[in-house]
Amino acid sequence: MAEILTPEEIIKQGEPVFVKTKLMTDNTLSYCPGCGHGVAHRITMEVLEEMGIGDQTIGVAPVGCSVLAYEFMNIDMQQAAHGRAPAVATGIKRLFPEKYVFTYQGDGDLAAIGTAETIHACNRGENIVIIFVNNGIYGMTGGQMAPTTLEGMVSSTSPHGRDVEMMGSPIKMTEMVATLPGVCFATRQAVHKPGLVRKAKKAIRKAFENQKDKKGTSIVEIVSNCNSGWKMTPVDSNIWLEENMLPVFPLGDIKG
Amino acid sequence: MEEVRLMKGNEAIAEAAIRAGVDGYFGYPITPQSEIIEYLMLEQPHLRTGMQVLQAESEVAAINMVYGAAGCGKKAMTSSSSPGISLKLEGISYIAASELPCLIVNVQRGGPGLGTIQPSQADYFQAVKGGGHGDYRLLVLAPASVQEMADFVDLSFELAFKYRTPVMILSDGVIGQMMEKVVLPPQKERLSNEELIKKYGSWATTGKPASRERNIITSLELKSERQEAHNHKLQAKYKEISENEVRFEKLNCDDAEYLIVAYGSSARISQKAMQIGREKGIKVGVLRPITLWPFPSDEINKLADQVKGILTVEMSAGQMVEDVRLAVNGKIKVEYFGRYGGMIPSPNEVIEALEQKLIGG
Amino acid sequence: MAKVKGAIVVDTERCKGCNLCVVACPTNVIELNEEVNIKGFNYAYPKFHDACTGCTNCATVCPDMVITVYRFKPAKA
């Protein structure tokens, strides 16, 4: 029987099995406690690090909570006007086809104001990766209704709950763009549980491998929480996400 | 050997773009400038120089494609006409704020609203006063011939990269559509990626090597002190441009008693009006601003000591006249004459207006 | 067979006390401290550290990347 080591001895003698990727900066994330953005950022950067392409990648940050993504991702980045990230990424990729290009967008950015840019970049099969974080709300501006807000869900601009008669139903953008021939991979993931994080990371890896193989547009939707906007604790928001978001936005590959 | 061709102004811009070594054109059809993208699509510049041409889903997307490409240090441009430029203004503000070099061509048509597809110069305010949000400036060049449509493309990129600022060619439907002889510029090589990184790697997003910090293209600054400092930096740059890049042409100004200030196609009409006036015995000269911003205010101010009155001729309801009045600062009478909504003034109308407003009045 | 042992290091000053690691830990190692860090958050700490297996679940769900995980596999006797 081996001797029992103290935690201090394990830290000293053991293998570090989880260390923050160097492709994340040391800046403190501006996100609320428990927000899924941090994990989505991290696994995206881990994929770039594991593929060894951090120095060949240009990221595009949106307007929304992740507007400051370039403060946290330690790669060259551009910040796009609200909704225009897929157009900005198109401009980069068309003139720098040998670089890896991705957008990181929220639901308001991608599915409301940027719908045209999203659909047409996908339809042209731009050889880019779109990371789409869907938390059903406008987080940055203080919890207003998003195109993905659930039926009956309360937000600051749907204080009596989203009325689909008046406001329509939550848009399923990933399913919509999956119908386009230019899209080679469309999947919906989540990052609120360890196993789901690992799956989401695999999906992001596949998306960047697709770009490497010049297959077209890959979109990875990540259903995430917005505990501040939903007015819940982080743990409760993840339970609410499972019970309410996932039935409407079911996880899994939609195409490819 | 010189290469001379008979071309439309719009075609001249397109051909000059290929020859200027432009890396990418992103556009959207709108009359009266669609020949630019049509020419490029037909010409297939990717086979000649590697230049990429893309028809975007909207003017909004096109200007943001330019943003992305320019953020990589690439030579990128877009073109449109008045309503389309309105759509691009958000992106133009971002480009100016992020200090990205690029070219925007506006072949103006009559407005407001959907207006008319006929020529106009009613986007002067939009071009020189900002148009989009925030304190920014565009360096604005106003061609008056098909030759200048061709020549100003390379000049625009030289200035855009020199100052890391967006440049606009403010043309109009007359110059865009008319055909003239044009001496085409020689072919410039496009930069290789290695050359690009060497020249612009200090700021452009080209992929972060271990040897430098990451490059970020952004116009966001949440700390007001820093946002003010960024504005100071922009204003210092605009001051430098104002001091160094004013361009204009003077015709018969030496003995002039009256001055017409006009740009673009209005300057051509005014030149003819000047001849008619001279034949009538009116000593009239023309000052043609080539840069609308920076505006040749000092030169106009100097001429105000010499002439008795100034007439601006514009295909607008009177926009540039405000800048001429500011330049003259009340020293002499400054009047405006124009036709608009797609109407073009005749030389006779111009000289009659000058006689009525400045001599008779 | 020797049991794999783990240990974690929490960057307590950067922890936002979201509690997600506490929920994710299969062996209930982590709790939120009653003390607060400089930002005023009740930060996570390995209260029952000996139970740690080094599974990395806590670090995997941590949005702020404040947890580093170590693992030690003793040589077979």
Side-chain angles (χ1 to χ4, degrees):
Chain A
M1 172 101 192
E3 60 176 314
I4 294 168
L5 297 177
T6 65
E8 289 72 26
E9 286 168 331
I10 293 167
I11 289 161
K12 221 173 166 185
Q13 297 173 28
E15 286 269 320
V17 288
F18 192 105
V19 181
K20 189 181 91 170
T21 165
K22 293 267 189 304
L23 290 186
M24 289 296 289
T25 66
D26 287 332
N27 294 332
T28 301
L29 294 174
S30 52
Y31 304 111
C32 303
C35 172
H37 270 306
V39 176
H41 280 27
R42 191 196 79 223
I43 57 177
T44 305
M45 290 302 105
E46 283 176 353
V47 165
L48 298 187
E49 186 176 48
E50 286 163 21
M51 289 176 73
I53 57 171
D55 59 347
Q56 303 156 51
T57 302
I58 299 159
V60 183
V63 168
C65 287
S66 48
V67 64
L68 288 170
Y70 55 77
E71 292 287 343
F72 316 123
M73 297 178 177
N74 196 13
I75 56 169
D76 278 2
M77 288 197 76
Q78 297 193 17
Q79 194 279 315
H82 201 15
R84 317 302 175 216
V88 171
T90 298
I92 299 170
K93 187 69 182 182
R94 289 280 173 145
L95 299 195
F96 252 148
E98 61 275 40
K99 304 286 176 188
Y100 291 85
V101 180
F102 73 94
T103 70
Y104 186 101
Q105 302 175 260
D107 41 72
D109 193 87
L110 179 139
I113 193 167
T115 316
E117 284 79 4
T118 305
I119 287 176
H120 286 279
C122 288
N123 194 45
R124 290 189 301 264
E126 295 295 340
N127 193 24
I128 59 173
V129 172
I130 297 173
I131 312 280
F132 166 34
V133 178
N134 173 11
N135 56 16
I137 206 157
Y138 283 80
M140 191 202 216
T141 44
Q144 291 83 11
M145 183 176 62
T148 48
T149 296
L150 304 180
E151 181 177 356
M153 186 172 161
V154 171
S155 75
S156 68
T157 53
S158 59
H160 309 293
R162 180 176 185 151
D163 177 356
V164 297
E165 291 295 314
M166 191 168 81
M167 290 310 306
S169 299
I171 291 184
K172 299 184 180 186
M173 278 299 280
T174 308
E175 278 88 344
M176 277 170 65
V177 298
T179 64
L180 302 170
V183 172
C184 65
F185 179 44
T187 185
R188 186 178 288 117
Q189 303 288 331
V191 292
H192 60 282
K193 284 183 170 172
L196 295 174
V197 175
R198 293 179 187 116
K199 266 192 186 169
K201 186 175 161 182
K202 272 187 193 152
I204 293 170
R205 171 80 187 229
K206 184 175 169 184
F208 278 95
E209 295 285 354
N210 286 341
Q211 186 170 165
K212 189 179 184 180
D213 298 337
K214 301 183 170 62
K215 285 186 175 171
T217 313
S218 295
I219 180 166
V220 180
E221 176 178 341
I222 295 172
V223 180
S224 186
N225 61 352
C226 177
N227 40 284
S228 293
W230 298 354
K231 306 198 190 310
M232 296 173 195
T233 66
V235 171
D236 286 349
S237 74
N238 284 342
I239 295 167
W240 194 90
L241 181 156
E242 291 231 327
E243 291 175 350
N244 296 278
M245 292 285 280
L246 297 189
V248 180
F249 298 109
L251 303 183
D253 291 349
I254 296 156
K255 183 181 189 178
Chain B
M1 203 188 94
E2 232 178 39
E3 208 181 330
V4 184
R5 265 198 246 171
L6 182 68
M7 296 181 104
K8 277 190 173 192
N10 288 336
E11 294 167 347
I13 288 226
E15 178 59 32
I18 302 170
R19 289 169 182 249
V22 170
D23 296 302
Y25 169 95
F26 304 94
Y28 186 80
I30 180 170
T31 309
Q33 64 80 54
S34 296
E35 292 85 355
I36 298 176
I37 189 168
E38 286 169 353
Y39 183 96
L40 289 170
M41 286 298 185
L42 191 66
E43 197 58 29
Q44 295 183 293
H46 60 277
L47 302 177
R48 279 172 60 182
T49 66
M51 175 185 177
Q52 299 295 313
V53 183
L54 185 63
Q55 180 173 334
E57 64 270 31
S58 67
E59 286 93 345
V60 175
I63 191 70
N64 283 285
M65 290 170 186
V66 170
Y67 176 98
C72 296
K74 298 279 184 177
K75 266 189 190 177
M77 67 179 286
T78 185
S79 67
S80 191
S81 180
S82 311
I85 297 293
S86 293
L87 282 168
K88 290 184 194 291
L89 286 173
E90 175 200 40
I92 291 173
S93 172
Y94 275 66
I95 285 169
S98 308
E99 300 192 83
L100 300 181
C102 71
L103 170 61
I104 303 131
V105 178
N106 181 2
V107 183
Q108 297 170 90
R109 57 188 255 183
L114 196 50
T116 167
I117 59 170
Q118 300 302 330
S120 177
Q121 294 180 315
D123 301 347
Y124 177 89
F125 282 155
Q126 187 197 56
V128 308
K129 307 287 182 193
H133 58 285
D135 276 317
Y136 78 91
R137 293 284 187 179
L138 289 175
L139 209 161
V140 183
L141 294 164
S145 63
V146 175
Q147 185 65 54
E148 283 189 341
M149 289 285 257
D151 293 344
F152 286 1
V153 174
D154 187 54
L155 174 63
S156 295
F157 278 106
E158 290 295 321
L159 294 168
F161 276 88
K162 182 175 177 187
Y163 295 103
R164 270 185 66 188
T165 201
V167 175
M168 175 177 276
I169 292 181
L170 188 69
S171 183
D172 62 64
V174 175
I175 313 280
Q177 292 295 323
M178 72 184 185
M179 295 187 88
E180 278 185 326
K181 183 186 85 170
V182 54
V183 181
L184 290 171
Q187 180 65 52
K188 262 193 182 178
E189 289 292 310
R190 285 177 55 241
L191 289 186
S192 69
N193 285 344
E194 291 69 35
E195 290 167 329
L196 182 149
I197 288 167
K198 211 172 164 190
K199 274 183 117 162
Y200 311 123
S202 61
W203 58 269
T205 55
T206 57
K208 177 198 170 302
S211 55
R212 67 158 165 81
E213 289 297 302
R214 65 197 190 284
N215 285 339
I216 298 164
I217 303 297
T218 182
S219 58
L220 178 71
E221 184 46 77
L222 294 171
K223 289 199 170 69
S224 299
E225 295 83 356
R226 286 202 216 156
Q227 185 60 262
E228 188 184 45
H230 179 59
N231 269 273
H232 284 157
K233 186 183 171 210
L234 291 177
Q235 292 303 320
K237 175 165 76 177
Y238 298 148
K239 187 164 178 281
E240 193 189 343
I241 295 172
S242 299
E243 286 165 359
N244 296 306
E245 304 301 343
V246 174
R247 287 168 167 79
F248 55 87
E249 184 187 24
K250 287 198 293 185
L251 297 166
N252 285 343
C253 286
D254 288 350
D255 66 340
E257 291 177 357
Y258 297 95
L259 182 69
I260 295 174
V261 180
Y263 71 94
S265 46
S266 289
R268 297 170 70 110
I269 295 159
S270 299
Q271 200 178 332
K272 182 70 186 168
M274 177 186 74
Q275 287 169 11
I276 297 168
R278 291 251 164 196
E279 281 161 19
K280 284 178 155 185
I282 306 166
K283 286 186 177 173
V284 56
V286 171
L287 183 135
R288 175 172 77 94
I290 292 171
T291 51
L292 297 178
W293 193 88
F295 195 67
S297 303
D298 291 348
E299 190 61 29
I300 291 170
N301 185 287
K302 262 188 250 168
L303 284 166
D305 293 330
Q306 171 196 323
V307 300
K308 294 174 184 166
I310 297 178
L311 182 74
T312 72
V313 179
E314 319 171 46
M315 294 194 293
S316 74
Q319 299 189 11
M320 186 180 65
V321 64
E322 293 189 4
D323 283 340
V324 176
R325 285 187 178 133
L326 281 172
V328 169
N329 202 13
K331 275 194 232 177
I332 53 166
K333 203 171 178 183
V334 177
E335 293 287 347
Y336 141 85
F337 174 73
R339 299 291 302 271
Y340 39 98
M343 294 303 290
I344 299 167
S346 74
N348 281 322
E349 280 180 319
V350 170
I351 209 68
E352 277 165 29
L354 186 139
E355 285 177 300
Q356 277 173 19
K357 293 179 183 231
L358 295 179
I359 304 172
Chain C
M1 183 171 151
K3 236 179 158 181
V4 176
K5 291 281 293 170
I8 63 170
V9 176
V10 180
D11 186 347
T12 51
E13 290 311 316
R14 294 165 69 92
C15 174
K16 293 175 183 165
C18 73
N19 211 32
L20 296 189
C21 57
V22 177
V23 175
C25 177
T27 52
N28 301 316
V29 169
I30 312 171
E31 279 202 4
L32 293 188
N33 205 313
E34 285 178 18
E35 304 279 308
V36 293
N37 62 17
I38 197 162
K39 295 261 172 67
F41 292 119
N42 299 97
Y43 55 88
Y45 78 111
K47 186 174 182 184
F48 306 105
H49 216 161
D50 287 344
C52 179
T53 62
C55 74
T56 74
N57 277 6
C58 55
T60 302
V61 296
C62 173
D64 291 285
M65 292 155 283
V66 303
I67 302 173
T68 307
V69 184
Y70 296 85
R71 207 181 284 165
F72 185 80
K73 195 176 178 184
K76 276 183 186 171

